[in-house]
Amino acid sequence: AEDSQVTFSGTIIANAKQELTQIGQVDIANGAHVELNRTAGTTGYSMFYYMSIRGNNAADTGYAHTFRVGDGATILGNELSSYASNSYPLVYYTFRSMTVGDDVTWKQDGFQMLIDLYRGSANGRSATFGQNLNMVATRTVGTNALSAYSNGTITFNAGTTLDLEQWNDNTIVWIDG
């Protein structure tokens, strides 16, 4: 919900039909393991869904709308192997920034796209990935696997391994104004 924040630490494994969170802010601790395994009956949701930004006070919990991942963390998102029309990326909607630490493993299977800085209407959004990122995105089913809009930036730092499998015959990287 809006005005909310969660910190994941340790090992979190969720078997769920919908999002792991509907949230204002997510923090994943150093060395944490956060995993979503989609169960039967899904209609193709994200893993981390950011609620709409309203006219909140900057002091409100979750106001920052950030997605932060600590060093050495692991994120795994698995859509059903029988489902090939997910409509959302792993992290979706009104997050303002995504900051991922060093030595992170990020693996997702069956989501619409990898990074979406287009939908959500915030100008100047950013996604910054630390050193030695191991990122695998299989069965990416939508157009524009990496998408930035309105002064958005996506940065992959040294040592990144990016393994992207796009099933759609459209652009992989789309940058607009």
Side-chain angles (χ1 to χ4, degrees), residues 143-177:
T143 59
N144 309 318
L146 300 165
S147 175
Y149 175 77
S150 192
N151 298 316
T153 59
I154 302 171
T155 303
F156 294 99
N157 279 296
T160 293
T161 299
L162 176 59
D163 182 357
L164 177 61
E165 175 186 85
Q166 182 166 325
W167 281 19
N168 187 301
D169 63 353
N170 215 310
T171 306
I172 293 174
V173 177
W174 182 73
I175 308 295
D176 185 8

Side-chain angles (χ1 to χ4, degrees), residues 86-89 108 110-114 116 119 140-143 145:
N86 189 306
S87 298
Y88 304 99
Q108 66 179 62
F111 287 85
Q112 181 191 39
M113 59 197 318
L114 184 57
D116 181 4
R119 293 176 291 185
T140 302
V141 298
T143 59

Side-chain angles (χ1 to χ4, degrees), residues 83-94:
Y83 193 73
S85 57
N86 189 306
S87 298
Y88 304 99
L90 193 91
V91 180
Y92 178 62
Y93 208 47
T94 61

Side-chain angles (χ1 to χ4, degrees), residues 35-70:
E35 179 175 342
L36 172 69
N37 299 302
R38 198 74 75 195
T39 59
T42 186
T43 57
Y45 291 98
S46 62
M47 183 170 173
F48 302 99
Y49 174 74
Y50 279 73
M51 305 300 286
S52 297
I53 299 173
R54 295 180 178 85
N56 294 348
N57 184 320
D60 289 351
T61 300
Y63 179 78
H65 281 255
T66 56
F67 181 78
R68 298 183 297 201
V69 179

